[in-house]
Amino acid sequence: MPLKHKTSGKLISFEGSEGSGKSTQIARLAAHFQKTQREVLTTREPGGTEIGEQIRNIIVHNSKGDEMCAETELLLFTAARAQLVREVIAPAIMRGAIVLSDRFLDSSTVYQGIGRNLAADPVAQINRFAVGNVMPDLTVVIDVPTEVSLARLKQRASDLPDRMERENLEFYTKVREGYLVLARGMPERFLVVDGTKSADAIEKKIWTEVQARLK
Ligand code: TMP
């Protein structure tokens, strides 16, 4: 059943490699919106619902994780997204809320499509099926050089050596370039920010652009 996407609510997704600083900027953007008395909801992928968190667990921490094929990975990520859209995001948008999502469908396009070399057409179709007609109004890509992202990743206290995080420099270079190519193709939806700048400078840039683009 197609979902109604009411125009007063907005969905802003954040994308970028691990260690790009998405969560810091999501919290800061949420704080700006809170001052405007708008309802703000933050969520993350994979996860964000009870079913989604269980799926996250399978993807990230499964002991047989290394045997998981790329197709299964794609279907699990998109299954978690389908649940998140219907349970959380679409109802919030219908209420007029601002939803800030740490990752959304572009992560599957880039990580599974480009990173894992799955054909673009089925990835796009499966993504579309999962989200219905709920698309981001704006997608912020926080771009950092691959070496910086990997170095930050190593310092990060992770609960387990997660299978995505064990990927190599080549994989993350493809991921970074994949986001930049996507953003160049859809400049009206994407905003690319330089993730090597200070957190304050990035926050200012994002808030200025959000106000200008989502009037
Ligand atoms: P994060 O919690 O650090 O963002 O990590 C989530 C991991 O899952 C990250 O390696 C990206 C990956 N991922 C995909 O590969 N495809 C997807 O569709 C999503 C949402 C995440």
Side-chain angles (χ1 to χ4, degrees), residues 19-21 141-145 148 152 192-199 202:
S20 58
V141 173
I142 307 189
D143 178 53
V144 287
V148 174
R152 288 184 188 169
V192 179
V193 296
D194 179 352
T196 62
K197 294 256 165 36
S198 72
I202 298 171

Side-chain angles (χ1 to χ4, degrees), residues 18 22 45 56 77 81 103 108 111-112 156 164:
E18 287 86 341
K22 288 180 281 111
E45 276 210 28
R56 180 185 181 99
F77 278 119
R81 183 168 309 127
R103 300 193 178 282
S108 298
Y111 280 79
Q112 280 65 55
R156 185 164 92 174
M164 305 303 301

